[in-house]
Amino acid sequence: MSSERDPADTVMLRTVADAPGPEPEPEPEPEPDPRGPAARRSSRFTRRGVVAATAVLLTLGVGAGLLWARDDTGAPAADSGPEIRTVAVTRTDLSGTREIEGTLDYTSPRTLRGPGQGRVTWSAKQGTTVGRGRPLYRVDERPAVVFYGSTPMYRRLDAVGLTGRDVRVVADNLKALGYDIGSQPPPGTRIQPSRPAVPGPSGADSPEGEREEEPASQPPPAEESGTPPSDSSPAGAPAGEPEAAPPPVTVKEGDGVLTSSLMAAVRRWQPTVGMQPTGFLDVSDVVVTQDAVRVGEVLVQPGDEAAADLMTVTSTTKSVTVPVEALDIGSVKRRQRVTVVLPDRSEAKGRVSAISSVIRSGQDGADQPGRSKINVTVSLDDPEAVKDLDSAPVEARFEAESRKDVLAVPVGALLALREGGYALRLTGGDLVPVETGMFAEGLVEISGEGVTEGMKVEATA
């Protein structure tokens, strides 16, 4: 009868025990297992599991013994730290700079809206520069003319004695265009405005100091004497009777007065730009700007309704707009030097000319809120450097504080001390405490006792 022992079991045990001994006596042939072949296979699998477990335990024991028997003075594993190099303490100039992306474009963009009625019959072309006294567009063939100033037209100027900063804009521009506007009452003068007059046909100029003849329905102005004219029309007069004159006003600093001489100058000027010589000005007749403007984009075509955005205008000068994070805005100062790197990598010099007071929320990605930013405007020293560019992405290099003729080492040469502060490690291993100053372009300013130019120190590679 054949044996039920698996020859592989015997070989595994000998291999693991690895000990010589007498040949084992042959095992007696087992009695047949009354449980059948399945039970015999289960018994064989159990014996194999015991053999495998014994082999694992012996292997772990041998490994532990080897570790226990290892020489404690053996060399440690190779260190994976940074590579060390030797550098010299140098004397140099340090300048802190920050590069931020910006946009080169024409400054002071503004959208002009039509007067609300009529149709556009003409507009200046895109890229055109429009100066004082020149029309930007026409509605029903009535031009809208550029005047320089800071106060827009906000009312119809049609009565002698009207006083305000809008009148000053008209007076200053007509005078700058070469028209005789007569004398203007000084601040503090008491003025009696008259009722709006009906434009007369006359456009002749009166001699300086002589009052032009006004329509019979209105009293003579009193801007020269300051004495209110008499008005016999009581309040609540029957229909058809002239209304009471407006109350007198006092000329303030910066105000202009619509005198009869100024109205005469308006009448002489109006035909030169295509207006009827009425002497009156409507709100839509004048577009007040700080200076000459450049037409950026024309938004309408001839024949379109004028009750819409007509065009965008900008200044004629270019600048760079740089969005700076609100937390960093304290490092940017007016008149600070800036180098603008153009798309062709050429450079143009400039200065910070304006810092916005409006904080806007940035966007780092789609639907992701970013950091708040403030727009900084950089004016260029030489506009000719960007004459061939209308708009372009650029880099603004802000020049911060600088240090001249200082000792410096790479930042990787600094060692943080446990007690605080920093030190340098000499090539011989000694530590030299140092004080740090400005960090710029991978270098750090250092000073301290015994620190000299040319000293060899260790630094990370």
Side-chain angles (χ1 to χ4, degrees):
M1 180 180 292
S2 62
S3 172
E4 292 291 330
R5 180 182 297 277
D6 191 332
D9 293 345
T10 304
V11 173
M12 176 65 71
L13 287 172
R14 294 177 66 180
T15 302
V16 173
D18 199 19
E23 289 291 332
E25 296 181 1
E27 295 183 5
E29 188 172 316
E31 295 293 332
D33 194 332
R35 293 174 296 175
R40 289 196 297 271
R41 285 195 298 270
S42 175
S43 176
R44 184 166 62 251
F45 293 154
T46 302
R47 289 197 301 273
R48 288 182 178 178
V50 172
V51 170
T54 304
V56 170
L57 292 175
L58 287 173
T59 303
L60 292 176
V62 171
L66 290 175
L67 290 176
W68 177 79
R70 183 180 64 87
D71 187 0
D72 291 337
T73 61
D79 188 7
S80 60
E83 182 181 349
I84 302 300
R85 62 191 175 107
T86 301
V87 298
V89 177
T90 59
R91 186 171 296 278
T92 184
D93 297 337
L94 295 181
S95 177
T97 60
R98 296 181 58 204
E99 291 187 357
I100 307 176
E101 294 182 354
T103 303
L104 170 71
D105 211 338
Y106 286 94
T107 58
S108 306
R110 171 185 174 188
T111 300
L112 301 182
R113 189 169 180 83
Q117 294 182 344
R119 292 185 178 275
V120 177
T121 53
W122 176 86
S123 65
K125 295 181 179 180
Q126 180 176 349
T128 304
T129 297
V130 182
R132 189 201 313 262
R134 307 303 301 173
L136 270 171
Y137 57 86
R138 293 192 183 99
V139 173
D140 294 341
E141 283 300 280
R142 187 176 180 90
V145 180
V146 171
F147 274 2
Y148 298 166
S150 57
T151 303
M153 295 284 288
Y154 61 90
R155 57 181 171 172
R156 177 180 167 89
L157 301 182
D158 59 357
V160 172
L162 285 178
T163 304
R165 295 180 181 272
D166 55 340
V167 181
R168 170 60 66 183
V169 169
V170 174
D172 289 346
N173 279 271
L174 289 179
K175 186 175 181 179
L177 290 170
Y179 291 88
D180 182 5
I181 65 171
S183 59
Q184 284 282 296
T189 304
R190 192 79 167 165
I191 297 296
Q192 174 61 58
S194 64
R195 291 182 296 273
V198 178
S202 173
D205 188 18
S206 301
E208 185 175 354
E210 181 181 279
R211 182 180 297 114
E212 292 189 338
E213 184 178 352
E214 303 294 335
S217 62
Q218 77 174 22
E223 65 265 20
E224 286 86 357
S225 63
T227 304
S230 60
D231 192 332
S232 57
S233 302
E241 294 289 334
E243 298 178 0
V249 295
T250 301
V251 179
K252 298 188 291 293
E253 190 70 36
D255 282 350
V257 179
L258 189 60
T259 64
S260 56
S261 297
L262 180 55
M263 293 185 73
V266 171
R267 282 199 298 270
R268 295 195 305 275
W269 166 74
Q270 285 174 322
T272 66
V273 293
M275 295 182 187
Q276 292 296 320
T278 61
F280 309 145
L281 287 174
D282 288 325
V283 174
S284 59
D285 290 340
V286 172
V287 178
V288 179
T289 64
Q290 294 287 339
D291 207 332
V293 294
R294 177 185 179 274
V295 178
E297 183 180 5
V298 179
L299 305 176
V300 293
Q301 299 294 326
D304 289 347
E305 294 285 346
D309 293 339
L310 305 183
M311 62 175 59
T312 61
V313 296
T314 66
S315 70
T316 58
T317 58
K318 301 166 191 171
S319 65
V320 175
T321 301
V322 185
V324 178
E325 292 185 5
L327 294 177
D328 296 333
I329 198 65
S331 63
V332 179
K333 308 295 182 184
R334 285 180 62 89
R335 305 296 300 167
Q336 182 176 344
R337 297 295 305 174
V338 180
T339 299
V340 178
V341 182
L342 303 177
D344 62 358
R345 306 313 297 172
S346 62
E347 297 181 353
K349 298 296 184 180
R351 290 182 182 272
V352 174
S353 58
I355 300 175
S356 176
S357 59
V358 178
I359 300 178
R360 59 184 181 83
S361 177
Q363 291 292 327
D364 288 341
D367 301 327
Q368 294 295 327
R371 298 180 180 179
S372 298
K373 297 184 178 181
I374 297 176
N375 281 340
V376 173
T377 302
V378 177
S379 297
L380 300 176
D381 295 344
D382 181 15
E384 290 296 311
V386 293
K387 65 179 181 180
D388 296 328
L389 295 173
D390 285 347
S391 179
V394 297
E395 289 183 358
R397 186 181 300 151
F398 290 84
E399 301 175 10
E401 60 177 335
S402 60
R403 295 284 189 271
K404 300 292 185 181
D405 195 32
V406 297
L407 296 176
V409 293
V411 176
L414 291 180
L415 293 176
L417 300 176
R418 180 178 301 175
E419 61 272 19
Y422 296 95
L424 302 178
R425 186 187 296 276
L426 302 180
T427 53
D430 295 334
L431 295 181
V432 179
V434 294
E435 295 290 334
T436 60
M438 180 178 179
F439 289 76
E441 300 178 355
L443 299 177
V444 57
E445 175 190 358
I446 58 170
S447 60
E449 185 177 354
V451 179
T452 59
E453 182 180 1
M455 175 185 293
K456 302 296 183 180
V457 298
E458 294 181 353
T460 55

